[in-house]
Structure formats: C-alpha cells, structure tokens
Amino acid sequence: NQDEEKLTEYMDELEFLAFTAGATVQKRFTQKLTQPDSKTFIGSGKAQEIKEYVKEHEIGTVIFDDELSPSQLKNLEREIEIKILDRTNLILDIFAQRAQTSYARTQVELAQYQYLLPRLTRMWTHLERQKGGIGMRGPGETEIETDRRIIRDRISLLKDKLKTIDKQMATQRNNRGKVVRAALVGYTNVGKSTLMNALSKSEVFAENKLFATLDTTVRKVVIGNLPFLLTDTVGFIRKLPTQLVESFKSTLDEVREADLLIHVVDISHESFEDHIESVNHTLMEINAHQKPMIMVFNKIDDFSYEKKDEDDLTPATRKNISLEEWKKTWMGKSKYPTVFISALTKENFPEMKKMIYDEVMKIHISRFPYND
Ligand code: GDP
C-alpha cells in the first residue's frame, strides 16, 4: 500500500531527526483522520492511548511530525501531561545545536523567537500549574504582555543584525569577482559535504545525521588548471519550518547567485525521487531553477535493489529497478548532464570532474569570449 509506505518513510525521517537532536525513539503512533482535530490534532482516544503508554514506559517527550498550532500544543500537553515537541520545534532545536557562525546563530535565534511568540501563554499557564499552591498567584496578563514586548524588541534587533551581515556577505560575494561559482545543492544527508571534501581536499564536517551542514562553506577548487569557487549549502528538507525558510534566505542567496548548480542525489535512499522534487521546488521558489545544473547521483556503492525472478508475475515496483534500468528512465533523458558516483569510494570521479570542468569552462568562455 502506497500510503502506508509514505507514512513509514515520513516516520523514519522524523525518527532520524529525533536521533540527530539526541533522542531515542521508543514507539510510533499513527492515526488516520480525514482532517486533523482542530483542538488536539489527534483524536481523544489516541491521546488517551499515548498518555497510558507514556506513563507506563516513563517517556520524556512526545514528538509530532507536523507543526501544531499554539492551542493544539497547549491542549495536548494538558491532555497527555507531557512535554510535546512538534516538527518545527525539533528542527529549530537541531539548527540551534549546530549553528557554527554568528550569522547562523542569529538566524536560528530569530526563528526560535518567531516560533515562541504566539506560544507564550502556553509557557505561563504551565508555570502557573506547576506553582500550584495556595497564595502563589501565577503571572498575570500584564507580565505576558511585557514578555511579548521584550521578545518583539529582540526580534527586530536580530533582524537588523541579519540585515547588516547580509550586506557584508553580499559585498564579499561581489569581491569574489569573475571567478565562476558553483553551488552544491541537494536534500539533507545526500553527501554534499563529503563531495566538497573530496573535491577541495579540505575537511568539512560530514556525519550521518540530518543537517550536519548549517553554515555555508566556500572553497576554491581547481580542476585541470581551471579554478572556480564551490559552495556547500544547507540541506534542503521536506516541510522546512517557514520561520527557517525566511531566515535562511542568505544561505539560499549563495544558490541564487551561483553560476552552476551541482545537484547531489542520494540514489541509495528509497525516496530519492521525492528529494529531487523537493529540492527543485525550493529552487523554483528562489527563482534559481533556470541555471545550468549537473545531476550527480551519489552513493552508488550503497545502491541495492530486489531483483525479481523470471517467473515472478507480480508487477515490478521501484524496489526492483537496477541502476542500469534507472538510467533508461527519465534519468537518462534528463536535459542536464548526469553522472553516477560514490563520494566515498570516488568511483566515476574522473567522469564527474570532466563534466564539471566542461560546464565551468562554458560559463568561463561566455564571460571572456575574446580570450584564447
Ligand atoms: P550532506 O548533509 O549532504 O552534506 O551529507 P554528508 O556529506 O554529511 O554525508 C552524509 C552521510 O552520507 C555521511 O555519513 C557520509 O559518510 C555518507 N556518504 C556520503 N557519500 C557517500 C557515498 O558515496 N557512499 C556512501 N555509502 N555513503 C556516503
């Protein structure tokens, strides 16, 4: 069943996100509803089921795969009596943990405050409830208002700070002059940093977690005497919190201003086609979809498929397709130069390098048409 498969994929990804944030997942709960409950997102029976499980197994947190409205969050915490994280909060947390530069930290802080602002009352009600005892009055509306004002001030301060850094970065980009700029784009964890390392011989942090790359890194790369700049950008991910889409604008500026996009795909991942779509969607949104692009299908060393027996009459699914067969599908007909590599074993590197060289050269020549 296709729906079930999708659901498992989404839950796998959520579990991976949780793992990246430092949590271990004990149990998954799913529910089919024609539309989410406006008050509690899930139905009350399901909430009860979760509550019982959580009590029995001493669970610390319940994570939801969607962004919950402030009131849904509040109602659910009251009902299940446990700390609740939604997907947005989880992703913000990961970004916060991993922000390396002051720019990234500022962006994350801004996004966190934007997330927090409409949810402030929730925190206060909690405090009130925890204090409990007679004569311990909880903070009143005025205090919440004061708090909101402080946060709003902080938000505008952070926005100003970002504007200043944005300008500095734009100047830096201008100063890079006429050197051709290529940007690695691709879903998170597909191997962009690994490829960057392999091409530039530098050490960029690479690990098997989501969003290992938070900050943009720019390296000079030389292929066959032809120098160009290579940018490693933040991973794209499905359902990226809107607060982050907005605040990570500058990361995407690198992509927007690149001359060539190198779109890296993890072909060993079962939903790699969805990943491609989600990246293309973002590229469209920032109006970078018409740039020259190279498709790099990575991790061929890890590619596997279930070969069907000759007499197996069940219809072939995506799981039965070999790499050679994939190449005959839309992949082979792509309007972009396409290459299959392993960033780990460096298989097909010469072919990829030649491809990048050719594309960079084309751009170079279009800029300096009279140079021989
Ligand atoms: P990024 O998020 O796109 O920058 O991905 P990373 O470069 O951090 O890589 C994510 C994980 O995939 C790491 O554990 C890498 O070691 C692994 N990886 C990268 N390239 C390959 C490859 O060609 N084959 C295999 N098997 N793993 C790879």
Side-chain angles (χ1 to χ4, degrees):
N1 183 305
Q2 284 238 315
D3 281 355
E4 304 258 303
E5 258 176 46
K6 272 270 160 311
L7 193 65
T8 312
E9 254 173 55
Y10 289 168
M11 290 302 254
D12 284 348
E13 185 175 280
L14 189 68
E15 184 164 335
F16 198 27
L17 278 171
F19 163 74
T20 304
T24 34
V25 173
Q26 298 262 335
K27 190 169 169 66
R28 298 175 176 194
F29 292 91
T30 55
Q31 184 176 37
K32 264 200 188 129
L33 291 176
T34 37
Q35 96 191 28
D37 188 289
S38 61
K39 290 208 183 73
T40 49
F41 192 74
I42 48 174
S44 56
K46 186 57 76 176
Q48 203 53 37
E49 189 187 331
I50 297 174
K51 181 179 175 175
E52 274 157 29
Y53 183 87
V54 156
K55 278 252 153 61
E56 191 180 336
H57 295 84
E58 299 180 352
I59 302 294
T61 312
V62 174
I63 306 174
F64 282 77
D65 192 38
D66 286 86
E67 181 167 324
L68 302 169
S69 75
S71 68
Q72 284 171 335
L73 202 60
K74 186 170 71 183
N75 294 335
L76 275 169
E77 286 199 338
R78 200 174 283 155
E79 202 147 313
I80 306 182
E81 292 174 5
I82 196 171
K83 180 176 159 202
I84 297 203
L85 283 181
D86 61 8
R87 185 181 171 94
T88 304
N89 202 344
L90 179 66
I91 292 179
L92 286 176
D93 194 80
I94 296 170
F95 272 99
Q97 272 181 35
R98 280 152 190 271
Q100 304 261 335
T101 61
S102 119
Y103 188 60
R105 278 196 295 269
T106 311
Q107 285 171 318
V108 179
E109 200 185 336
L110 175 63
Q112 282 179 316
Y113 278 127
Q114 285 170 334
Y115 175 84
L116 185 67
L117 194 57
R119 291 168 176 84
L120 260 192
T121 26
R122 177 177 76 100
M123 296 200 344
W124 287 117
T125 7
H126 263 252
L127 281 177
E128 248 171 321
R129 200 158 42 109
Q130 276 161 15
K131 279 190 194 167
I134 303 162
M136 301 269 280
R137 275 189 28 212
E141 272 302 310
T142 34
E143 275 148 300
I144 297 174
E145 252 331 296
T146 313
D147 248 58
R148 285 215 183 97
R149 211 182 48 237
I150 293 171
I151 292 188
R152 279 199 205 101
D153 287 351
R154 187 80 191 139
I155 287 180
S156 59
L157 195 88
L158 290 169
K159 279 186 177 163
D160 285 348
K161 194 171 162 190
L162 282 178
K163 249 183 232 152
T164 313
I165 314 182
D166 265 339
K167 268 191 212 127
Q168 286 167 359
M169 286 168 92
T171 316
Q172 273 171 20
R173 280 197 296 270
N174 280 337
N175 291 345
R176 285 185 214 144
K178 288 275 185 187
V179 185
V180 173
R181 273 146 49 180
L184 290 166
V185 297
Y187 208 72
T188 181
N189 216 46
V190 294
K192 296 183 293 298
S193 308
T194 312
L195 191 57
M196 175 87 155
N197 284 340
L199 283 172
S200 67
K201 302 188 183 72
S202 65
E203 273 309 309
V204 181
F205 188 55
E207 61 174 343
N208 194 17
K209 284 186 174 171
L210 291 179
F211 304 115
T213 327
L214 251 181
D215 300 292
T216 329
T217 8
V218 184
R219 296 267 189 283
K220 187 178 154 195
V221 176
V222 183
I223 298 180
N225 286 332
L226 183 61
F228 62 97
L229 294 175
L230 184 62
T231 310
D232 180 7
T233 56
V234 64
F236 294 71
I237 191 163
R238 181 168 46 214
K239 290 201 268 179
L240 185 73
T242 42
Q243 297 91 334
L244 280 181
V245 176
E246 193 40 46
S247 62
F248 275 81
K249 185 185 146 287
S250 195
T251 310
L252 297 177
D253 277 348
E254 289 285 348
V255 176
R256 207 180 285 123
E257 292 180 17
D259 306 297
L260 170 68
L261 303 181
I262 301 176
H263 187 162
V264 187
V265 179
D266 174 0
I267 201 168
S268 74
H269 197 292
E270 57 180 330
S271 27
F272 76 87
E273 284 175 292
D274 288 347
H275 294 173
I276 294 175
E277 214 167 278
S278 142
V279 171
N280 282 340
H281 183 78
T282 310
L283 291 177
M284 199 109 86
E285 277 181 344
I286 61 165
N287 207 11
H289 58 294
Q290 274 156 344
K291 290 184 187 294
M293 185 151 83
I294 297 176
M295 295 297 293
V296 175
F297 291 96
N298 188 32
K299 305 199 190 180
I300 53 170
D301 60 292
D302 209 19
F303 179 86
S304 63
Y305 72 106
E306 293 162 17
K307 199 166 187 285
K308 271 175 45 143
D309 291 332
E310 298 265 317
D311 51 1
D312 182 354
L313 293 177
T314 53
T317 66
R318 290 185 35 233
K319 285 202 181 88
N320 308 127
I321 308 179
S322 70
L323 204 52
E324 288 318 306
E325 281 164 320
W326 268 118
K327 290 180 188 174
K328 289 184 212 141
T329 64
W330 55 265
M331 253 179 225
K333 302 186 195 90
S334 167
K335 63 175 171 176
Y336 302 113
T338 300
V339 66
F340 296 80
I341 64 147
S342 162
L344 219 54
T345 66
K346 305 204 170 179
E347 200 176 334
N348 291 341
F349 257 45
E351 193 188 335
M352 177 188 63
K353 282 184 169 173
K354 174 80 173 58
M355 210 171 261
I356 297 175
Y357 178 90
D358 287 347
E359 290 304 308
V360 172
M361 197 47 133
K362 263 191 228 162
I363 297 161
H364 192 74
I365 289 173
S366 71
R367 279 194 186 160
F368 305 101
Y370 305 112
N371 283 4
D372 265 305

Short mmCIF file of all heavy atoms in Angstrom, two decimals, residues 186-195 205-213 232-233 235 298-302 341-345, ligand 1:
data_model
loop_
_atom_site.label_atom_id
_atom_site.label_comp_id
_atom_site.label_asym_id
_atom_site.label_seq_id
_atom_site.Cartn_x
_atom_site.Cartn_y
_atom_site.Cartn_z
N GLY A 186 21.10 19.97 -2.75
CA GLY A 186 20.64 18.61 -2.58
C GLY A 186 19.97 18.43 -1.24
O GLY A 186 20.18 19.23 -0.33
N TYR A 187 19.18 17.39 -1.14
CA TYR A 187 18.48 17.09 0.09
C TYR A 187 19.51 16.88 1.20
O TYR A 187 20.68 16.62 0.92
CB TYR A 187 17.64 15.83 -0.09
CG TYR A 187 16.41 15.77 0.80
CD1 TYR A 187 15.33 16.59 0.55
CD2 TYR A 187 16.36 14.89 1.88
CE1 TYR A 187 14.20 16.55 1.36
CE2 TYR A 187 15.23 14.85 2.70
CZ TYR A 187 14.16 15.67 2.43
OH TYR A 187 13.05 15.62 3.24
N THR A 188 19.07 17.00 2.42
CA THR A 188 20.00 16.83 3.52
C THR A 188 20.52 15.39 3.59
O THR A 188 19.81 14.45 3.24
CB THR A 188 19.32 17.28 4.84
OG1 THR A 188 20.26 17.12 5.89
CG2 THR A 188 18.08 16.48 5.14
N ASN A 189 21.81 15.25 3.95
CA ASN A 189 22.44 13.94 4.15
C ASN A 189 22.73 13.15 2.86
O ASN A 189 22.96 11.96 2.91
CB ASN A 189 21.59 13.06 5.08
CG ASN A 189 22.44 12.19 5.98
OD1 ASN A 189 23.41 12.66 6.57
ND2 ASN A 189 22.14 10.92 6.05
N VAL A 190 22.73 13.81 1.72
CA VAL A 190 22.97 13.09 0.47
C VAL A 190 24.46 12.94 0.17
O VAL A 190 24.85 12.15 -0.69
CB VAL A 190 22.30 13.78 -0.75
CG1 VAL A 190 20.79 13.73 -0.63
CG2 VAL A 190 22.79 15.19 -0.93
N GLY A 191 25.29 13.72 0.87
CA GLY A 191 26.74 13.60 0.67
C GLY A 191 27.40 14.85 0.11
O GLY A 191 28.50 14.78 -0.45
N LYS A 192 26.77 15.99 0.28
CA LYS A 192 27.33 17.23 -0.25
C LYS A 192 28.67 17.58 0.40
O LYS A 192 29.63 17.89 -0.29
CB LYS A 192 26.34 18.41 -0.06
CG LYS A 192 25.04 18.24 -0.83
CD LYS A 192 24.13 19.44 -0.68
CE LYS A 192 23.60 19.61 0.74
NZ LYS A 192 22.77 18.48 1.22
N SER A 193 28.70 17.49 1.72
CA SER A 193 29.95 17.82 2.42
C SER A 193 31.06 16.86 2.05
O SER A 193 32.22 17.26 1.86
CB SER A 193 29.76 17.78 3.93
OG SER A 193 28.67 18.56 4.30
N THR A 194 30.70 15.59 1.94
CA THR A 194 31.69 14.58 1.56
C THR A 194 32.25 14.88 0.18
O THR A 194 33.46 14.79 -0.04
CB THR A 194 31.04 13.18 1.56
OG1 THR A 194 30.30 13.01 2.77
CG2 THR A 194 32.09 12.09 1.46
N LEU A 195 31.38 15.26 -0.73
CA LEU A 195 31.81 15.59 -2.08
C LEU A 195 32.68 16.85 -2.08
O LEU A 195 33.71 16.91 -2.76
CB LEU A 195 30.58 15.79 -2.98
CG LEU A 195 30.83 15.89 -4.46
CD1 LEU A 195 31.55 14.67 -4.98
CD2 LEU A 195 29.51 16.08 -5.21
N PHE A 205 33.00 19.20 7.95
CA PHE A 205 32.30 18.28 8.84
C PHE A 205 31.27 17.43 8.10
O PHE A 205 30.35 17.94 7.49
CB PHE A 205 31.64 19.18 9.87
CG PHE A 205 31.02 18.49 11.02
CD1 PHE A 205 31.75 17.62 11.80
CD2 PHE A 205 29.70 18.74 11.35
CE1 PHE A 205 31.17 17.01 12.90
CE2 PHE A 205 29.12 18.14 12.45
CZ PHE A 205 29.86 17.28 13.22
N ALA A 206 31.44 16.12 8.09
CA ALA A 206 30.44 15.25 7.46
C ALA A 206 30.06 14.13 8.40
O ALA A 206 30.91 13.43 8.94
CB ALA A 206 30.97 14.66 6.16
N GLU A 207 28.79 13.96 8.67
CA GLU A 207 28.38 12.83 9.51
C GLU A 207 26.99 12.39 9.10
O GLU A 207 26.27 13.09 8.42
CB GLU A 207 28.43 13.19 10.99
CG GLU A 207 27.51 14.33 11.35
CD GLU A 207 27.46 14.57 12.86
OE1 GLU A 207 27.86 13.69 13.62
OE2 GLU A 207 27.00 15.63 13.25
N ASN A 208 26.65 11.18 9.53
CA ASN A 208 25.39 10.62 9.11
C ASN A 208 24.24 11.09 9.99
O ASN A 208 23.65 10.34 10.72
CB ASN A 208 25.48 9.10 9.10
CG ASN A 208 24.31 8.49 8.36
OD1 ASN A 208 23.62 9.19 7.61
ND2 ASN A 208 24.06 7.22 8.59
N LYS A 209 23.98 12.37 9.94
CA LYS A 209 22.87 12.94 10.68
C LYS A 209 22.26 14.00 9.79
O LYS A 209 22.91 14.48 8.87
CB LYS A 209 23.36 13.58 11.98
CG LYS A 209 23.70 12.56 13.03
CD LYS A 209 24.04 13.24 14.33
CE LYS A 209 24.23 12.19 15.42
NZ LYS A 209 24.76 12.76 16.65
N LEU A 210 21.03 14.36 10.09
CA LEU A 210 20.41 15.39 9.27
C LEU A 210 20.97 16.76 9.65
O LEU A 210 21.28 16.99 10.80
CB LEU A 210 18.90 15.38 9.46
CG LEU A 210 18.21 14.13 8.87
CD1 LEU A 210 16.72 14.18 9.11
CD2 LEU A 210 18.48 13.99 7.39
N PHE A 211 21.12 17.58 8.67
CA PHE A 211 21.61 18.95 8.86
C PHE A 211 23.00 19.04 9.46
O PHE A 211 23.24 19.86 10.32
CB PHE A 211 20.72 19.77 9.80
CG PHE A 211 19.32 19.83 9.40
CD1 PHE A 211 18.35 19.26 10.18
CD2 PHE A 211 18.97 20.47 8.24
CE1 PHE A 211 17.03 19.34 9.82
CE2 PHE A 211 17.65 20.55 7.87
CZ PHE A 211 16.68 19.98 8.67
N ALA A 212 23.90 18.17 9.09
CA ALA A 212 25.25 18.34 9.59
C ALA A 212 25.81 19.67 9.09
O ALA A 212 26.64 20.29 9.72
CB ALA A 212 26.14 17.19 9.17
N THR A 213 25.32 20.10 7.93
CA THR A 213 25.79 21.36 7.38
C THR A 213 24.79 22.46 7.68
O THR A 213 23.66 22.39 7.25
CB THR A 213 25.90 21.28 5.84
OG1 THR A 213 26.26 19.97 5.50
CG2 THR A 213 26.90 22.26 5.32
N ASP A 232 29.10 24.89 -0.43
CA ASP A 232 28.33 23.79 0.15
C ASP A 232 27.19 24.44 0.92
O ASP A 232 27.42 25.21 1.83
CB ASP A 232 29.25 23.01 1.10
CG ASP A 232 28.55 21.85 1.76
OD1 ASP A 232 27.40 21.56 1.38
OD2 ASP A 232 29.16 21.24 2.64
N THR A 233 25.95 24.17 0.54
CA THR A 233 24.85 24.86 1.21
C THR A 233 24.12 23.96 2.19
O THR A 233 24.31 22.76 2.21
CB THR A 233 23.82 25.38 0.18
OG1 THR A 233 23.37 24.28 -0.60
CG2 THR A 233 24.42 26.42 -0.71
N GLY A 235 21.34 21.74 3.89
CA GLY A 235 20.49 20.72 3.28
C GLY A 235 19.05 21.19 3.13
O GLY A 235 18.53 21.92 3.94
N ASN A 298 24.74 10.15 -6.20
CA ASN A 298 25.80 9.72 -5.29
C ASN A 298 25.43 8.40 -4.58
O ASN A 298 24.30 7.95 -4.66
CB ASN A 298 26.03 10.84 -4.27
CG ASN A 298 27.24 10.59 -3.39
OD1 ASN A 298 28.22 9.97 -3.81
ND2 ASN A 298 27.17 11.06 -2.15
N LYS A 299 26.41 7.86 -3.90
CA LYS A 299 26.27 6.65 -3.08
C LYS A 299 25.92 5.40 -3.90
O LYS A 299 25.16 4.54 -3.45
CB LYS A 299 25.21 6.83 -1.97
CG LYS A 299 25.47 8.04 -1.05
CD LYS A 299 24.71 7.93 0.26
CE LYS A 299 24.78 9.24 1.04
NZ LYS A 299 24.07 9.22 2.31
N ILE A 300 26.47 5.31 -5.12
CA ILE A 300 26.19 4.11 -5.92
C ILE A 300 26.78 2.86 -5.25
O ILE A 300 26.32 1.76 -5.48
CB ILE A 300 26.69 4.22 -7.38
CG1 ILE A 300 28.17 4.60 -7.43
CG2 ILE A 300 25.86 5.18 -8.19
CD1 ILE A 300 28.76 4.47 -8.82
N ASP A 301 27.78 3.07 -4.37
CA ASP A 301 28.35 1.91 -3.65
C ASP A 301 27.32 1.29 -2.71
O ASP A 301 27.43 0.13 -2.32
CB ASP A 301 29.59 2.36 -2.85
CG ASP A 301 29.24 3.44 -1.83
OD1 ASP A 301 28.90 4.57 -2.23
OD2 ASP A 301 29.31 3.14 -0.63
N ASP A 302 26.31 2.09 -2.35
CA ASP A 302 25.33 1.64 -1.37
C ASP A 302 23.98 1.31 -2.03
O ASP A 302 23.01 1.01 -1.35
CB ASP A 302 25.13 2.75 -0.33
CG ASP A 302 24.73 2.21 1.02
OD1 ASP A 302 24.94 1.01 1.25
OD2 ASP A 302 24.19 2.98 1.82
N ILE A 341 28.07 8.48 -9.17
CA ILE A 341 29.35 8.39 -8.46
C ILE A 341 29.19 7.83 -7.04
O ILE A 341 28.08 7.64 -6.54
CB ILE A 341 30.01 9.78 -8.31
CG1 ILE A 341 29.12 10.70 -7.44
CG2 ILE A 341 30.29 10.41 -9.64
CD1 ILE A 341 29.90 11.67 -6.61
N SER A 342 30.32 7.63 -6.42
CA SER A 342 30.35 7.43 -4.98
C SER A 342 31.38 8.41 -4.41
O SER A 342 32.55 8.35 -4.76
CB SER A 342 30.76 6.00 -4.64
OG SER A 342 31.17 5.94 -3.28
N ALA A 343 30.91 9.31 -3.58
CA ALA A 343 31.82 10.30 -2.99
C ALA A 343 32.77 9.60 -2.02
O ALA A 343 33.84 10.09 -1.70
CB ALA A 343 31.03 11.39 -2.29
N LEU A 344 32.33 8.42 -1.55
CA LEU A 344 33.10 7.68 -0.57
C LEU A 344 34.25 6.91 -1.23
O LEU A 344 35.40 7.02 -0.83
CB LEU A 344 32.17 6.70 0.16
CG LEU A 344 32.39 6.52 1.64
CD1 LEU A 344 32.35 7.85 2.39
CD2 LEU A 344 31.34 5.57 2.22
N THR A 345 33.93 6.12 -2.27
CA THR A 345 34.96 5.32 -2.92
C THR A 345 35.58 6.04 -4.12
O THR A 345 36.52 5.56 -4.73
CB THR A 345 34.37 3.99 -3.44
OG1 THR A 345 33.44 4.29 -4.49
CG2 THR A 345 33.65 3.24 -2.33
P1 GDP B 1 25.28 16.37 3.42
O1 GDP B 1 24.28 16.55 4.52
O2 GDP B 1 24.61 16.35 2.07
O3 GDP B 1 26.42 17.34 3.45
O4 GDP B 1 25.87 14.88 3.59
P2 GDP B 1 27.27 14.41 4.23
O5 GDP B 1 28.39 14.71 3.30
O6 GDP B 1 27.36 14.92 5.62
O7 GDP B 1 27.07 12.83 4.20
C1 GDP B 1 26.04 12.19 4.92
C2 GDP B 1 26.41 10.76 5.20
O8 GDP B 1 26.46 10.02 3.97
C3 GDP B 1 27.76 10.58 5.83
O9 GDP B 1 27.66 9.54 6.77
C4 GDP B 1 28.68 10.19 4.70
O10 GDP B 1 29.76 9.43 5.11
C5 GDP B 1 27.72 9.38 3.85
N1 GDP B 1 28.11 9.36 2.44
C6 GDP B 1 28.45 10.41 1.65
N2 GDP B 1 28.77 9.99 0.39
C7 GDP B 1 28.63 8.66 0.38
C8 GDP B 1 28.80 7.64 -0.62
O11 GDP B 1 29.16 7.88 -1.77
N3 GDP B 1 28.52 6.35 -0.25
C9 GDP B 1 28.11 6.03 1.00
N4 GDP B 1 27.88 4.75 1.26
N5 GDP B 1 27.94 6.95 1.97
C10 GDP B 1 28.20 8.24 1.67
#
